[in-house]
Amino acid sequence: MSPSSRIVVGLGFVLAFILGMTAQPLVRFGVSELYQAEYADLAFKCDHAMREHFIARSKAVTAPSKEAAVLLSEAEVALIDCHDYDRLRKSLLRVGMTEVDLSAMSLIAIEAKGKDIREIVRIHEIRY
């Protein structure tokens, strides 16, 4: 093997190593950018659905009535948003995203939606 061939092969190995080390983080960054808006939308819809379900169930237990039963039933239907959110989470994990990546996407969504700390607290607070 000539010296120039060895250099080319050596450079090929170095480039392959660099590509191997940087490809996964770049793919994860691209996926997070591509799905950030949809992920944020579903996360907030699911959060709202869970909050409404908690409130409706509490009312149905503490003050049973036909109206409370209807509200609980409607709140249960809204939990479909959580199913959609969970399906997207699992799809993102399947393509190589990590739990840390998804947590970062959630924080980005919260920061974008909440202009100040009171809004962030309101987003996560359950009122009943």
Side-chain angles (χ1 to χ4, degrees):
M1 185 179 267
S2 70
S4 63
S5 297
R6 285 186 207 161
I7 292 172
V8 170
V9 170
L11 285 175
F13 280 121
V14 169
L15 288 174
F17 177 77
I18 291 170
L19 183 61
M21 295 299 288
T22 59
Q24 185 63 17
L26 290 175
V27 168
R28 288 181 10 230
F29 175 77
V31 169
S32 71
E33 289 295 312
L34 186 63
Y35 285 97
Q36 178 64 48
E38 181 181 1
Y39 187 81
D41 183 52
L42 288 174
F44 281 107
K45 284 180 178 179
C46 178
D47 184 59
H48 180 72
M50 286 190 303
R51 183 182 305 112
E52 292 300 314
H53 181 261
F54 177 81
I55 294 167
R57 190 175 60 185
S58 296
K59 286 181 182 177
V61 168
T62 58
S65 68
K66 185 171 179 120
E67 180 184 339
V70 169
L71 288 174
L72 180 58
S73 185
E74 290 172 354
E76 288 171 347
V77 171
L79 289 173
I80 289 172
D81 290 328
C82 293
H83 176 71
D84 295 338
Y85 168 73
D86 191 46
R87 286 181 57 209
L88 179 59
R89 274 185 68 81
K90 288 188 173 51
S91 294
L92 293 174
L93 289 168
R94 210 173 305 120
V95 298
M97 299 293 283
T98 66
E99 288 291 337
V100 173
D101 295 329
L102 298 179
S103 294
M105 289 173 72
S106 295
L107 288 174
I108 289 168
I110 290 168
E111 290 169 358
K113 190 116 175 162
K115 302 299 181 216
D116 63 22
I117 193 67
R118 287 172 291 207
E119 180 65 12
I120 292 172
V121 168
R122 189 199 65 72
I123 289 167
H124 289 290
E125 185 176 47
I126 293 178
R127 294 186 203 135
Y128 56 96

